[in-house]
Amino acid sequence: MEKTIHSRAYHCLLEWLKAERTRQRLTTRAMTARIDVAYTWVTKVENHERRLDVAEYVRYCRALKINPGKGIAILERELRLEEQAGVRR
């Protein structure tokens, strides 16, 4: 099984989160202040160096005022595409 941090589905989720942050014109520093984490935390998440757990993901979404369900839908769509293409995990 592939580690989820390296999966295409997880990559798409992180790209969505980063796009939402940049759409709101938030710097990584501003984002870290919103979720009260170390400065490097957001950068590591966005660079796929650190995996988000479920609670962190929800906090991240709340900080951006976005619906966590939309990200879950992105994951589901990508996983379905991987399954259809026969990608092994």
Side-chain angles (χ1 to χ4, degrees):
M1 181 186 298
E2 176 185 31
K3 290 191 177 208
T4 56
I5 197 167
H6 301 298
S7 74
R8 168 119 177 97
Y10 186 70
H11 175 81
C12 289
L13 176 70
L14 293 185
E15 290 304 310
W16 172 69
L17 288 173
K18 184 176 181 178
E20 288 294 320
R21 179 183 62 75
T22 57
R23 184 183 63 77
Q24 294 180 31
R25 293 187 169 95
L26 285 172
T27 63
T28 53
R29 252 184 225 282
M31 187 64 186
T32 60
R34 282 191 179 189
I35 51 181
D36 195 29
V37 293
Y39 168 68
T40 58
W41 191 87
V42 170
T43 302
K44 286 181 179 182
V45 167
E46 290 182 354
N47 289 333
H48 305 243
E49 296 169 18
R50 186 189 187 291
R51 186 173 58 196
L52 284 173
D53 68 26
V54 175
E56 291 167 337
Y57 167 71
V58 171
R59 274 202 326 260
Y60 202 104
C61 289
R62 284 182 178 170
L64 291 171
K65 298 180 176 123
I66 56 177
N67 182 350
K70 186 170 181 184
I72 299 300
I74 290 168
L75 278 174
E76 287 180 331
R77 182 190 72 225
E78 290 301 320
L79 289 170
R80 196 169 30 259
L81 289 172
E82 286 177 8
E83 289 167 1
Q84 290 171 352
V87 174
R88 294 185 151 203
R89 288 195 250 31

